[in-house]
Amino acid sequence: MLEIKNLHVKLEEEDKVILRGVDLKIGPGEVHAIMGPNGSGKSTLSYVLSGRDGYEVTEGSATLDGQELLEMEPEERAAAGLFLAFQYPVEIPGVGNMTFLRTAVNAQRKARGEEELSAGDFLKIVREKAKTLKIDAEMLKRPVNVGFSGGEKKRNEILQMAMLEPRMCILDETDSGLDVDAMKLVSDGVNALRDGKRSFLVITHYQRLLDHIKPDVVHIMAGGRIVRTGGPDLALEVEQNGYADILNEVG
Amino acid sequence: MALPKAKEDALAARLAALPAVEGKGWLAAARSEALARLSAMGLPGRRDEYWRYTDPASLNAPEAPVARRFDASDEAAPFDGIDRVRLVFVDGVFDAAASDDPALAGVTIERLAEAGRRDIHWAQGLYGVLEARGQTPVARPFAALNTGFASDGVLIHVTGRAAKPVSLVYVHEAETSDAILHHCVKLDPGAELTLLENGPAAARFSKVLEVEVAEGARFHHIRLQGRDHERRAVTHIFARLGAGAEFRSFTLTANGRLTRNEAVVELAGAEARAHVAGAAVGDGDFHHDDTVFITHAAEACESRQVFKKVLMNGAVGVFQGKILVKPGAQKTDGYQISQSLLLDEDSQFLAKPELEIYADDVKCSHGSTSGAIDETALFYLQSRGVPRRTAQALLVLAFLAEAIDEVADETIAEDIRARLERWLARHGSRG
Ligand SMILES: Nc1ncnc2c1ncn2[C@@H]1O[C@H](COP(=O)(O)OP(=O)(O)O)[C@@H](O)[C@H]1O
Ligand SMILES: [Mg+2]
């Protein structure tokens, strides 16, 4: 599914290196978690994969089912099946949430040579999916993320993911700012999308999200590298001892 | 006070090139008064306070600069599906054969060229009158020139609720046409009218619209200035509102080498409401100037100015907007926003927002911004699979939304959005 090889990234405008050789391979249906201290480069990895401006890849590659992602426009990556749930979802005044969702769904269908959804069909699907995420009609009408609470923004990200049905989902700190109930809603939303083929890369600070979304593999990122990889137990180890031991060990 | 020699010469040259206008009686009197006003102020120059951002040279020139007509037949004409009374002017000349019979219950419509031959007419109390009132404190020479030399126009007297809109269609044919039209609309108490205007009109177009909105009357105005790239236009709206009256004016401008749209509105009766709005999109050789002056002269009136511009490839946008609250105009609610979205670094927006308030119980706000498109929002949309161009169009329309929302008729608003979407698709900026 997703294969990242020796990825080196620096800021475009400054001589600041952020990723220093990331290797990662995620198979179909797998759930991988990336944990790591603040500033270790987790969000940068997710942005570089989805094609945000401002970063320069100096070495390495990232492929989705063999297709080189790094040469595509962000919208092409999305159409190829990549999705990023943002750590900080963006507010777009003046664009209704519903218009946004419909434009996105139909743009991807068009890019894949599929027919656009009729207004009626689209509405039916959105309403159904919104309901399970406890997103009410009012939130669908409001401008994208404007005036949404932190939890509402995160649920809105999951709604987009559910509507777009990507094959490779990256979730960047989707748990941050969520209370226990919201965490459960979001996790249920994610788990509902697990179908044995769709893959997930879950970026998080805390083990608690991983109680709900059970990872197959856990990576620890530090200083722009993946410094350790293990099973679900690795997350528990971090939870108990913090990152210090691992970082010391790596040097 | 005598004009400086250069100004005097410029005016003389301009006047000498104007065709003689016929007219006796009331109209002749109004014209000569206008000419006297114009002679006292002269034509505008770059040093005049309200002409610093816009060069009047091509409007001052004795001959209209050449402007090729633009073929806009790839899209339906504006207001196509709307039941309306169409009055067509080709290069400023009324085209009876192309126009509808101007019969409309509760409304009398006459041509200025005909009404002007009579000894007395109701329009005497309006033609040039609001224009003259609007000359202080800011001189508006092109409006006086228009009053003095308009060759035609329509005089509309509304006594009831008009069953359908009156629609003025301006066709541009000749490359050097120089049209001067002057319209007057008088709404009796409680009367209602929607006036639609569309089309580029001429290579150079001067237009004045004077509107008297009596107590409780409502006047809605929607204007689409056509898609010609090379045309030039200087237009004025002078409106005076009685108690509880409503005035709404929206203008869409796409293209045009030079556009100066002035609106001068006086809220003269309590609880009157005036909304003046505009959306302008320009690519390249485009200079668009909205100059607005709203006077609150009575209590508890509301005014809104909403002007949005999208500029690319060196296009220039200007906004000069003023709210004047006179002594005694308590409980005034004034709002003014002017914003530009600059799609590249070559384009520019010049704004001069002004408030002048002589009452103490007043709520007035104004804001002016210019900025680039929100790259973060653009990336967010793209990351959801929306192509960059579509994403950009979506954000541009979102930016223009507040101005378009001023169009009360939802069918027309939808049509305007669709026109803008197509414009953006045609002009889709780089990147
Ligand atoms: N656009 C940027 N401009 C400046 N610094 C950046 C930018 N993006 C990331 N960084 C820096 O790169 C490092 C990694 O950041 P980030 O990827 O957000 O880490 P994480 O998500 O793991 O907390 C930090 O030091 C951060 O300040
Ligand atoms: Mg982060």
Side-chain angles (χ1 to χ4, degrees):
Chain A
M1 176 76 55
L2 181 69
E3 188 164 6
I4 303 170
K5 283 189 196 153
N6 193 30
L7 187 65
H8 290 254
V9 172
K10 67 178 272 292
L11 290 180
E12 211 168 53
E13 309 262 296
E14 292 171 47
D15 279 331
K16 178 166 176 172
V17 179
I18 303 176
L19 300 183
R20 302 159 189 275
V22 174
D23 287 286
L24 185 65
K25 193 169 172 179
I26 304 178
E30 290 179 2
V31 177
H32 287 226
I34 293 189
M35 302 180 77
N38 261 333
S40 56
K42 305 183 297 295
S43 290
T44 300
L45 176 64
S46 71
Y47 286 144
V48 169
L49 291 175
S50 44
R52 188 178 192 142
D53 277 349
Y55 302 101
E56 189 184 321
V57 175
T58 50
E59 224 183 306
S61 71
T63 55
L64 186 65
D65 292 329
Q67 275 183 287
E68 181 55 75
L69 284 174
L70 302 178
E71 278 158 20
M72 297 184 204
E73 293 299 320
E75 59 265 34
E76 293 168 339
R77 303 179 197 208
L82 185 76
F83 181 90
L84 168 64
F86 282 52
Q87 180 173 2
Y88 304 107
V90 179
E91 298 184 6
I92 313 182
V95 177
N97 212 8
M98 202 67 129
T99 307
F100 167 65
L101 283 168
R102 199 177 57 235
T103 309
V105 168
N106 283 332
Q108 292 206 12
R109 292 181 76 97
K110 202 171 150 199
R112 291 195 288 258
E114 298 162 15
E115 217 169 296
E116 297 193 353
L117 277 183
S118 75
D121 287 348
F122 171 79
L123 214 63
K124 225 177 99 201
I125 301 172
V126 168
R127 288 215 179 111
E128 197 181 293
K129 302 204 178 203
K131 202 170 154 201
T132 62
L133 286 160
K134 295 219 165 75
I135 291 175
D136 58 23
E138 221 264 311
M139 248 175 85
L140 288 173
K141 267 190 247 153
R142 292 209 310 246
V144 180
N145 293 325
V146 177
F148 287 27
S149 71
E152 285 174 336
K153 285 182 180 168
K154 297 300 172 85
R155 276 186 276 147
N156 201 29
E157 293 292 290
I158 305 304
L159 174 63
Q160 293 163 41
M161 190 163 95
M163 288 303 299
L164 294 169
E165 302 184 319
R167 289 179 308 144
M168 178 71 232
C169 308
I170 305 174
L171 287 83
D172 190 1
E173 300 213 19
T174 299
D175 52 337
S176 66
L178 296 187
D179 61 23
V180 180
D181 291 340
M183 172 103 76
K184 177 98 179 37
L185 265 180
V186 163
S187 312
D188 288 350
V190 173
N191 288 328
L193 289 170
R194 292 183 68 172
D195 61 358
K197 283 179 260 162
R198 183 170 288 131
S199 309
F200 293 85
L201 179 60
V202 181
I203 297 172
T204 182
H205 254 328
Y206 305 104
Q207 140 72 19
R208 59 175 194 165
L209 179 68
L210 305 180
D211 285 339
H212 297 284
I213 307 171
K214 299 249 169 1
D216 300 303
V217 183
V218 174
H219 309 273
I220 308 295
M221 189 165 203
R225 270 192 212 100
I226 289 182
V227 295
R228 245 182 90 179
T229 294
D233 292 349
L234 183 53
L236 291 169
E237 191 186 322
V238 167
E239 180 79 358
Q240 273 156 22
N241 308 332
Y243 294 110
D245 290 354
I246 297 171
L247 297 187
N248 285 338
E249 199 176 297
V250 188
Chain B
M1 200 176 66
L3 287 176
K5 178 85 170 74
K7 278 218 175 202
E8 204 165 273
D9 292 348
L11 180 59
R14 180 77 160 97
L15 295 179
L18 285 164
V21 276
E22 59 168 310
K24 300 180 289 243
W26 71 271
L27 184 57
R31 280 175 173 152
S32 63
E33 282 167 32
L35 182 57
R37 282 194 290 282
L38 176 62
S39 304
M41 58 190 140
L43 292 168
R46 280 317 281 270
R47 256 176 272 160
D48 296 337
E49 193 183 349
Y50 287 90
W51 288 94
R52 281 199 197 124
Y53 300 149
T54 296
D55 186 352
S58 62
L59 302 172
N60 285 338
E63 306 294 334
V66 169
R68 284 168 298 172
R69 70 182 287 268
F70 178 82
D71 180 6
S73 61
D74 59 330
E75 57 181 20
F79 313 127
D80 233 13
I82 295 170
D83 187 21
R84 62 207 157 117
V85 176
R86 278 173 92 248
L87 302 170
V88 181
F89 291 84
V90 179
D91 288 330
V93 179
F94 182 65
D95 183 343
S99 300
D100 293 334
D101 173 15
L104 184 59
V107 183
T108 15
I109 305 172
E110 293 166 87
R111 281 179 60 193
L112 173 66
E114 277 161 15
R117 290 192 202 110
R118 285 198 241 132
D119 286 340
I120 52 167
H121 194 273
W122 64 260
Q124 255 172 281
L126 190 51
Y127 186 95
V129 174
L130 294 188
E131 176 258 298
R133 276 180 81 89
Q135 295 292 354
T136 38
V138 180
R140 305 172 196 280
F142 291 120
L145 185 141
N146 178 297
T147 301
F149 296 90
S151 56
D152 210 346
V154 289
L155 305 174
I156 305 176
H157 185 191
V158 192
T159 53
R161 286 189 180 179
K164 47 184 169 180
V166 172
S167 171
L168 305 178
V169 178
Y170 304 125
V171 181
H172 170 204
E173 290 281 357
E175 287 190 353
T176 53
S177 52
D178 197 9
I180 307 181
L181 294 178
H182 192 122
H183 312 303
C184 292
V185 181
K186 179 178 158 72
L187 292 105
D188 286 352
E192 288 179 21
L193 178 77
T194 296
L195 179 71
L196 307 174
E197 291 183 284
N198 73 278
R204 183 168 69 178
F205 185 38
S206 159
K207 194 202 62 190
V208 166
L209 170 64
E210 290 176 290
V211 191
E212 179 86 55
V213 194
E215 304 84 62
R218 283 154 67 141
F219 177 74
H220 287 194
H221 171 233
I222 298 160
R223 160 169 67 168
L224 274 61
Q225 293 187 292
R227 286 167 53 194
D228 274 31
H229 290 271
E230 299 178 357
R231 60 127 191 98
R232 290 173 168 86
V234 53
T235 79
H236 291 79
I237 298 172
F238 295 95
R240 197 174 131 89
L241 279 67
E246 181 180 293
F247 171 92
R248 293 177 83 145
S249 174
F250 170 87
T251 301
L252 171 70
T253 310
N255 312 338
R257 193 158 278 167
L258 174 66
T259 309
R260 164 87 163 209
N261 289 334
E262 297 196 21
V264 183
V265 180
E266 184 185 350
L267 296 146
E271 291 178 25
R273 285 197 294 163
H275 291 199
V276 190
V281 291
D283 180 359
D285 196 355
F286 173 91
H287 184 108
H288 183 97
D289 175 334
D290 285 299
T291 294
V292 182
F293 198 111
I294 299 207
T295 304
H296 282 258
E299 278 195 18
C301 292
E302 178 200 296
S303 71
R304 277 175 73 82
Q305 302 173 50
V306 183
F307 288 88
K308 304 262 185 160
K309 296 175 174 65
V310 177
L311 306 167
M312 63 175 97
N313 294 320
V316 178
V318 175
F319 175 80
Q320 308 182 104
K322 180 155 181 171
I323 304 175
L324 168 64
V325 180
K326 289 202 162 172
Q330 303 297 5
K331 307 229 163 5
T332 284
D333 182 355
Y335 174 78
Q336 179 197 87
I337 183 104
S338 66
Q339 295 180 308
S340 271
L341 186 60
L342 308 177
L343 294 183
D344 51 53
E345 282 167 12
D346 302 330
S347 305
Q348 66 171 321
F349 178 53
L350 304 154
K352 181 179 156 123
E354 293 176 283
L355 290 179
E356 199 178 324
I357 301 175
Y358 299 101
D360 46 25
D361 181 12
V362 163
K363 196 175 92 192
C364 273
S365 64
H366 68 154
S368 180
T369 63
S370 73
I373 205 147
D374 180 351
E375 280 296 332
T376 311
L378 206 52
F379 171 64
Y380 191 58
L381 283 160
Q382 284 180 276
S383 79
R384 276 18 180 180
V386 182
R388 191 176 169 90
R389 257 179 113 147
T390 313
Q392 199 158 32
L394 209 59
L395 294 177
V396 170
L397 282 177
F399 166 79
L400 293 171
E402 190 185 357
I404 301 167
D405 286 348
E406 289 294 326
V407 176
D409 183 313
E410 196 37 48
T411 312
I412 295 178
E414 213 24 73
D415 179 57
I416 287 170
R417 283 184 204 107
R419 282 172 196 280
L420 283 164
E421 260 175 64
R422 290 191 294 269
W423 189 93
L424 290 165
R426 290 192 301 269
H427 294 261
S429 84
R430 306 165 265 187

